[in-house]
């Protein structure tokens, strides 16, 4: 009987699994630019975006989801906290995802390939939804009664006139890629590392969800939909078995399951060699080796 255990890999990266750097840079940059220009193409659907916002708000109330205002109320107790939340929303989203991909590319190439594919699929699906379902965020919806914390307290990445904002499409709330990318970063790092503290990476999507709802940039449903899309993408691009686990053999002579260093007794079947007179020695006459006992008993 062989004993073996498997653990998340934490060894030197397999450079054979690492794609060419220039190609990956051009690919990721191209995907980002395609998404950015694609979002811009969805600008201008103001009436439809507000109509959809009313439908989403009513659906959330019908589902008895907590009001976004309950989260924002926690932020409004402290101006420094609001400012920190706005900064997190504006400054953490892209850099955190970029650093995640860079680290995976260098240290976990097989995990990098899968994560890049999942993020590309998720972002592409989000772009399609942005085009088909323009949605005004809750900070614009009068029925929500929420504060646009970015405009009031700063900093903000959006212009004051959403319909003419040339830097970003403010009517692309559904789904929330802030939440989707944050969840992927956390799951990717948990899968690619073996630290006992790796579950703390889940704080990133938790804080991101709190921030996007508290700053009134997204509805709860924006986060629910993107997590569902991410689950589909993760199922479609499964991690290769060789990248998930590596065998950790018990080493040392005489230890069962080591696969090496364990002597083969002379009386074992299929052994090579000849014996004087063509007769094998009795078991009791076999030398006692590490991991075996005289008489065959353990």
């Amino acid at each position: 009987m062989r004993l073996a255990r498997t653990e998340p890999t934490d060894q030197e990266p397999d450079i054979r699994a690492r794609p060419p750097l220039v190609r990956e840079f051009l690919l990721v940059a191209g995907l980002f630019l395609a998404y950015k220009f694609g979002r811009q193409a969805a600008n201008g659907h103001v009436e439809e975006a507000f109509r959809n916002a009313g439908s989403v708000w009513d659906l959330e109330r019908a589902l008895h989801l907590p009001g976004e205002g309950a989260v924002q109320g926690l932020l409004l107790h402290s101006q420094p906290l609001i400012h920190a939340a706005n900064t997190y929303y504006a400054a953490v989203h892209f850099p955190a995802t970029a650093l995640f991909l860079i680290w995976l590319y260098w240290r976990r190439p097989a995990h990098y390939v899968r994560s890049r594919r999942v993020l590309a699929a998720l972002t592409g699906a989000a772009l399609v939804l942005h085009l088909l379902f323009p949605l005004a965020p809750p900070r614009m919806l009068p029925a929500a009664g929420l504060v646009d914390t970015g405009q009031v307290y700063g900093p903000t990445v959006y212009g004051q006139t959403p319909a003419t904002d040339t830097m970003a499409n403010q009517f692309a709330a559904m789904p929330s890629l802030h939440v989707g990318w944050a969840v992927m970063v956390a799951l990717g790092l948990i899968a690619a590392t073996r630290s006992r503290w790796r579950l703390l990476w889940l704080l990133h999507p938790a804080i991101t969800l709190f921030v996007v709802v508290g700053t009134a940039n997204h509805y709860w449903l924006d986060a629910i939909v993107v997590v569902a899309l991410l689950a589909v993408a993760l199922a479609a691009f499964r991690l290769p078995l060789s990248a998930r686990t590596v065998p950790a053999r018990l080493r040392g002579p005489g230890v069962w399951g080591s696969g090496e260093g364990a002597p083969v007794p002379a009386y074992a079947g299929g052994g090579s060699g000849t014996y004087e007179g063509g007769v094998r020695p009795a078991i009791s006459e076999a030398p006692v080796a590490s991991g075996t006992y005289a008489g065959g008993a353990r």
Side-chain angles (χ1 to χ4, degrees), residues 19-289:
L21 178 60
V22 175
R23 189 194 74 182
E24 287 303 303
F25 176 79
L26 294 176
L27 178 60
V28 173
L31 290 172
F32 172 75
L33 291 176
Y35 171 73
K36 199 71 175 175
F37 287 116
R39 278 176 58 111
Q40 291 298 316
N43 262 337
H45 303 278
V46 179
E47 293 184 4
E48 186 180 359
F50 277 96
R51 186 167 57 250
N52 290 337
S55 299
V56 168
W57 182 262
D58 292 340
L59 179 58
E60 285 192 343
R61 306 294 75 80
L63 295 174
H64 303 290
L65 293 176
E68 286 80 357
V71 179
Q72 186 172 90
L74 299 175
L75 292 178
L76 293 177
H77 287 296
S78 169
Q79 186 166 332
L81 184 59
I82 297 175
H83 190 272
N86 290 333
T87 302
Y88 196 95
Y89 180 85
V92 174
H93 177 49
F94 283 107
T97 308
L99 288 174
F100 163 69
L101 289 175
I102 292 171
W103 186 84
L104 284 184
Y105 177 86
W106 189 251
R107 296 296 303 170
R108 302 289 186 272
H111 287 263
Y112 162 79
V113 172
R114 190 230 188 178
S115 296
R116 187 252 291 151
R117 290 172 177 169
V118 170
L119 285 172
L122 176 64
T123 305
L127 178 58
V128 172
L129 268 179
H130 294 161
L131 295 172
L132 297 178
F133 193 77
L135 180 65
R139 56 187 167 82
M140 297 183 188
L141 189 63
L146 298 172
V147 177
D148 187 343
T149 61
Q151 293 293 343
V152 175
Y153 300 98
T156 182
V157 294
Y158 300 121
Q160 293 185 352
T161 54
T164 59
D165 191 348
T166 58
M167 297 300 295
N169 178 10
Q170 298 193 43
F171 299 120
M174 173 74 76
S176 171
L177 280 180
H178 274 75
V179 173
W181 287 11
V183 173
M184 183 59 214
V185 167
L187 295 180
L189 289 173
I190 289 172
T193 58
R194 61 189 300 181
S195 168
R196 67 180 63 184
W197 304 105
R198 63 185 182 276
L199 290 181
L200 290 178
W201 287 114
L202 292 173
L203 289 174
H204 176 44
I207 294 173
T208 300
L209 178 61
F210 177 79
V211 164
V212 301
V213 173
T215 57
N217 282 294
H218 286 284
Y219 304 89
W220 294 112
L221 281 177
D222 298 339
I224 294 172
V225 169
V226 82
V227 170
L229 291 175
L230 177 61
V232 173
L234 287 170
F237 299 100
R238 297 183 63 84
L239 191 66
L241 182 62
S242 59
R244 291 183 229 165
T245 57
V246 291
R249 295 179 175 178
L250 301 176
R251 299 186 178 275
V255 180
W256 285 29
S258 64
E260 58 184 3
V264 179
Y267 56 82
S272 61
T274 58
Y275 302 89
E276 185 177 355
V279 180
R280 293 183 179 180
I283 290 176
S284 59
E285 297 175 5
V288 178

